[in-house]
Structure formats: C-alpha cells, structure tokens
C-alpha cells in the first residue's frame, strides 16, 4: 500500500465519522434511519440504472 492509498483511507474514515456525527445529531430512531437509508439507496440505484440505459460514460 502506498502513501496515497493510506491518506485516502484515513480521509474516508474521517468523512464517515463526520457524516455519522451529523446524522446522530438529529436523534432519529432506528426505523427512520433505515427508511432514509433505503430511500437514498433507491435514488442512487435508480440513477445508476438510468445512466446505464442511456449508455453514458465519463470522458477519459
């Protein structure tokens, strides 16, 4: 593992802690958190399917 990969992992863990603490500050119940997670999962999956059906790719 090179230095860039280690820095990326540490940064990712930091962002996850930041996002988790922001979500915890709302003091939502587990059922509401699960509902929100499923909604976001459906949004990203739907966007993925739309992009895949349209045949769009990132320019290289």
């Amino acid at each position: 593992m090179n230095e860039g990969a280690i820095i990326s992992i540490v940064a990712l863990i930091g962002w996850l802690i930041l996002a988790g603490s922001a979500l915890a500050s709302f003091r939502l119940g587990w059922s509401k958190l699960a509902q929100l997670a499923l909604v976001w999962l459906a949004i990203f999956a739907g966007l993925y399917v739309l992009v895949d059906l349209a045949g769009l790719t990132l320019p290289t």
Side-chain angles (χ1 to χ4, degrees), residues 17-46:
I17 291 171
L18 183 66
S21 63
L23 187 60
S25 71
F26 286 104
R27 297 181 190 257
L28 301 173
W30 285 106
S31 61
K32 187 65 175 178
L33 286 175
Q35 181 184 10
L36 287 173
L38 288 174
V39 168
W40 279 108
L41 181 66
I43 289 170
F44 283 115

Side-chain angles (χ1 to χ4, degrees), residues 1 4-22:
M1 216 180 233
I6 294 172
I7 292 172
S8 294
I9 291 171
V10 170
L12 179 62
I13 291 170
W15 281 112
L16 287 173
I17 291 171
L18 183 66
S21 63

Side-chain angles (χ1 to χ4, degrees), residues 46-58:
L47 287 174
Y48 175 80
V49 169
L50 287 175
V51 168
D52 191 43
L53 288 175
L56 300 175
T57 60
L58 292 174

